[in-house]
Amino acid sequence: MSTLATMPKHGNEVSTKRNTSSLPSFSSWVDNLIEGGMGTGFLSNFNTGMTLPAVNIKENADEFFLEIAVPGMKKSDFNIDVDNKVLSISSETREEQEHKEENYTRREFGYSSFKRTFTLPDTIESDKISAQYKEGILTVHLPKKEEAKDKPAKRITIS
């Protein structure tokens, strides 16, 4: 016999149970799977196709840059739109393969998509936004308006 330690969902108490059988019943296995968080996380991500890609946002005096990690894609896979100060970056890809031989046919297909949206500040020149895709990183360049750029310090003379 073995002793199992179980943690409740909120992690405050530890209890021990004696395992009296060598294999758990199917229903207890499913209950443990769902109660342990695996069930809800697994089911919520089951048909999403792709998780949201990681994004870095960089800023300097003249511009912002968004760097989005999306390896294995092509430039043509992306849609980038600006509408009412909202920048939307999305992708949808589908792939089908079919392999036929004398006794069987194997057909595989895949689908993935994502959409990220960003509310742009008033300081962005939306007409000058540009993007580049290189080595799995989509970089979106967001230039600032001239009046929003940091100006060097200026000495004021007293008259």
Side-chain angles (χ1 to χ4, degrees):
M1 284 196 249
S2 64
T3 302
L4 300 177
T6 59
M7 294 289 288
K9 284 187 182 180
H10 302 294
N12 295 331
E13 304 169 353
V14 175
S15 65
T16 59
K17 295 179 186 175
R18 302 290 283 176
N19 186 0
T20 57
S21 67
S22 60
L23 293 174
S25 69
F26 181 75
S27 63
S28 68
W29 179 79
V30 171
D31 290 343
N32 288 339
L33 181 69
I34 292 171
E35 285 177 7
M38 166 70 175
T40 55
F42 177 74
L43 293 175
S44 67
N45 291 325
F46 184 70
N47 271 331
T48 59
M50 180 185 288
T51 58
L52 288 177
V55 176
N56 292 330
I57 300 174
K58 296 180 180 181
E59 179 183 15
N60 62 34
D62 298 327
E63 60 219 346
F64 289 94
F65 288 96
L66 297 178
E67 295 176 330
I68 304 170
V70 281
M73 301 185 84
K74 302 178 294 236
K75 290 190 298 186
S76 60
D77 291 336
F78 299 105
N79 296 310
I80 302 174
D81 301 303
V82 177
D83 185 24
N84 281 339
K85 298 181 191 176
V86 175
L87 173 71
S88 297
I89 302 169
S90 62
S91 176
E92 183 176 331
T93 59
R94 296 172 191 210
E95 184 179 329
E96 289 190 32
Q97 296 177 356
E98 190 169 329
H99 181 76
K100 291 185 177 188
E101 288 195 16
E102 186 176 328
N103 297 331
Y104 72 93
T105 298
R106 182 182 73 199
R107 187 170 180 198
E108 296 180 7
F109 60 94
Y111 174 82
S112 64
S113 68
F114 75 87
K115 183 173 185 176
R116 297 290 310 255
T117 59
F118 304 90
T119 300
L120 300 177
D122 293 333
T123 59
I124 297 298
E125 282 279 356
S126 58
D127 294 340
K128 295 183 180 178
I129 294 173
S130 61
Q132 173 183 346
Y133 183 67
K134 185 177 180 183
E135 297 179 7
I137 304 293
L138 177 65
T139 303
V140 181
H141 175 241
L142 304 159
K144 293 180 181 178
K145 292 179 180 175
E146 196 59 41
E147 62 269 15
K149 294 179 182 178
D150 291 338
K151 307 286 190 276
K154 175 174 119 175
R155 180 169 291 280
I156 308 294
T157 56
I158 302 171
S159 55

